[in-house]
Amino acid sequence: MLDRAHELSARLRPAGPTGLEFVDGLFSGSVAHRLRDHGGYLGWWPHLMPSDREAVAAHCVPHLMERWRRVRMETAQAQALAAAGGPPGEALALVVAYLVADRARGTAEERARPVVELAARGELDAERVGRRLALLIQRTELKPGPAFETLEAAAAFGAQREVWRIVTAFLPGFLPAPGERSHTRHTQGLVFALRAARWAGARGAVPCVAEIAQRKASNNFVREARRLHTYLT
C-alpha cells in the first residue's frame, strides 16, 4: 500500500515548482511518512481550530492526493472547514479545488457542498479556487469533467454567480495559449462556460475567450469561443 501511494505521488508531481507555497507543498514530502502520522484523525482536524480554518487547511493539503481512505481528505472535512471561522486563504482554496475535481471523493452534490457553504456565507474566494482548479487539472491526473459536474451541482444549489466567477478565473489557466494546440477538453470547457454564463446571467467579455473568438479558424474550439463571446457581449 505504501509503495502504491508513493507511486501515485510521483506520477502527480509537477515537472518543477510553481512558486505557490501550498501547491508546491502538495507535491512534496514522503507519502510513506505521512501514512505513519496521524492521518487517521483527519476527521477531527477542522474542529480543533474552528476559528482558523486556513491553518487547518494548510495541514490537510499533504493528504489531498492520498487514495487510502483512512488518511485522505474527504468532502466532510472540507465542508467542516467551510463552516468554520477565520479568513479563507490559499490552502482552503486548494482543498476546495482539489475535491471539486476528484470524482473519488463522492458524488457531484457531495463535492459541491463546501463550495455552496462558502458561497452562502459570502466567503468563497471564487477566483482563487478557479485558478487553483486550472493548475491542478494542468499539472495532475485530475480531469475537467468531474469538476464541471461539481460546479453544475453547485449552481443547482443556488451558487450560479459564484460558479461563473470560478469559471472566469479557471479559463485563462485552462485554455491553450496562442500557438498551443487545442484539444477536445478545451472545447468542452467552453461549452460548459456558456452554460455557466447563462445560469448566472453573466455579461462582459472574458479576454482569453475574446482572443480565441477573433481567430480566423473555423474549428469547433473557435466556434464555441465565438458562441460564448457573443452571448457575453
Side-chain angles (χ1 to χ4, degrees), residues 175 182-183 186-192 194 198 209-232:
L175 296 176
S182 63
H183 297 280
H186 298 127
T187 304
Q188 293 170 342
L190 291 171
V191 171
F192 177 79
L194 178 56
R198 287 173 171 162
V209 176
E211 185 278 324
I212 297 167
Q214 293 167 4
R215 296 178 187 176
K216 295 181 179 180
S218 59
N219 54 46
N220 288 338
F221 175 65
V222 174
R223 282 196 293 270
E224 291 300 333
R226 288 173 185 158
R227 290 182 63 204
L228 175 56
H229 182 66
T230 298
Y231 174 81
L232 292 172

Side-chain angles (χ1 to χ4, degrees), residues 133-190:
L133 183 60
L135 182 63
L136 288 169
I137 287 174
Q138 293 283 23
R139 298 292 190 107
T140 76
E141 292 183 337
L142 295 175
K143 306 297 183 184
F148 298 154
E149 292 171 2
T150 305
L151 295 178
E152 181 170 355
F157 283 133
Q160 296 94 338
R161 293 182 180 179
E162 290 80 5
V163 166
W164 175 242
R165 287 169 52 205
I166 291 174
V167 170
T168 56
F170 168 77
L171 290 176
F174 173 69
L175 296 176
E180 294 181 351
R181 184 178 179 181
S182 63
H183 297 280
T184 301
R185 69 177 188 168
H186 298 127
T187 304
Q188 293 170 342
L190 291 171

Side-chain angles (χ1 to χ4, degrees), residues 53 75 77-83 92-101 108-127 129-130 133 146-147 149-167:
R53 57 186 164 196
T75 53
Q77 284 96 55
Q79 189 172 1
L81 287 174
L92 182 60
L94 184 58
V95 167
V96 171
Y98 197 98
L99 296 185
V100 161
E109 289 76 15
E110 291 169 338
R111 303 195 309 271
R113 285 171 186 160
V115 175
V116 175
E117 177 73 31
L118 288 166
R121 290 166 168 260
E123 297 171 347
L124 178 66
D125 191 339
E127 289 74 21
V129 170
L133 183 60
E149 292 171 2
T150 305
L151 295 178
E152 181 170 355
F157 283 133
Q160 296 94 338
R161 293 182 180 179
E162 290 80 5
V163 166
W164 175 242
R165 287 169 52 205
I166 291 174
V167 170

